[in-house]
């Protein structure tokens, strides 16, 4: 496909784990990213993974990469209400180009 | 201090008008970008400047003209605005190097064309 694809909505209970999935398009992408957008704010880089890695862990965040399937996921452990936001997956198929998904709106219920 | 700032935050204007959106970054980055976010939240790159020089110019109507007076500023001027130009426009800055191309985004400018 030509688009970076993500499901649009995810709802979890506070304290549960959240898993946001993404399918990207270009197997030559060197870096893959997860951004967080809170209401009225710009995109904040959460984490990224280099394409020769399978997994990256950063505190409550775990990124898994399956290059064969071009599948990227973001797991948030012990999800908090402050994690409610839109999460964007992005790939960088060439220098100075970023291709973003449509974003997954994460809602955390108390 | 805001790293990447854009003005105005909201812009409402009539079809046919000419308007500008300003972007400034204080991160010392060499590269700045303009993205358009459509109604489905998909971000598409429009332009990229590196040290005041245009390096990416995607298929964007020539009514859109970026201007970079210095490497800390990248303004977007739009002539003869059309209804389809309504969107949120994001400015970003970053460094090109051997490490991850991290980009820092501004808060966005919501443009509404009536």
């Amino acid at each position: 496909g030509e688009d970076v694809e993500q499901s649009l909505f995810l709802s979890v209970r506070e304290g549960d784990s959240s898993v946001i999935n993404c399918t990207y398009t270009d197997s030559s992408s060197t870096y893959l990213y997860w951004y967080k957008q809170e209401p009225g704010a710009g995109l904040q880089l959460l984490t990224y993974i280099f394409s020769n890695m399978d997994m990256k862990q950063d505190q409550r965040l775990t990124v898994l990469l399956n290059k064969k399937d071009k599948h990227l996921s973001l797991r948030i452990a012990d999800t908090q209400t402050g994690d409610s936001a839109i999460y964007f997956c992005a790939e960088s198929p060439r220098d100075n180009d970023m291709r973003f998904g449509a974003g997954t709106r994460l809602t955390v219920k108390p | 201090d805001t790293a990447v700032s854009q003005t105005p935050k909201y812009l409402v204007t009539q079809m046919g008008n000419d308007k500008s959106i300003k972007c400034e970054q204080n991160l010392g980055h060499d590269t700045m970008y303009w993205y358009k976010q459509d109604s489905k939240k998909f971000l598409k790159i429009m332009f990229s400047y590196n040290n005041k020089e245009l390096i990416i110019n995607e298929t964007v109507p020539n009514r859109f003209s970026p201007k970079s007076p210095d490497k800390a500023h990248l303004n977007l001027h739009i002539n003869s605005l059309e209804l389809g130009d309504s969107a949120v426009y994001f400015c970003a800055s970053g460094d090109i190097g051997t490490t991850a191309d991290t980009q820092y985004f501004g808060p966005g400018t919501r443009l509404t064309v009536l």
Side-chain angles (χ1 to χ4, degrees), chain A residues 33 42 88 94 96 98 100 102, chain B residues 41-42 56 58 101 103 106:
Chain A
Y33 309 84
F88 290 88
R94 66 173 191 257
N96 290 315
M98 296 279 285
F100 286 79
Chain B
K41 305 287 189 187
F42 189 77
I56 287 181
E58 294 295 320
D101 286 298
Q103 295 186 17

Side-chain angles (χ1 to χ4, degrees), chain B residues 98-109:
Chain B
T98 55
T99 55
D101 286 298
T102 57
Q103 295 186 17
Y104 293 81
F105 286 78
T109 295

Side-chain angles (χ1 to χ4, degrees), chain B residues 63-104:
Chain B
R63 298 181 294 104
F64 290 78
S65 52
K67 288 188 172 48
S68 182
D70 55 60
K71 76 173 193 176
H73 295 84
L74 180 62
N75 303 324
L76 183 64
H77 188 76
I78 315 169
N79 289 328
S80 303
L81 278 155
E82 300 178 358
L83 294 177
D85 298 332
S86 295
V88 181
Y89 291 84
F90 284 94
C91 173
S93 74
D95 275 331
I96 304 171
T98 55
T99 55
D101 286 298
T102 57
Q103 295 186 17
Y104 293 81

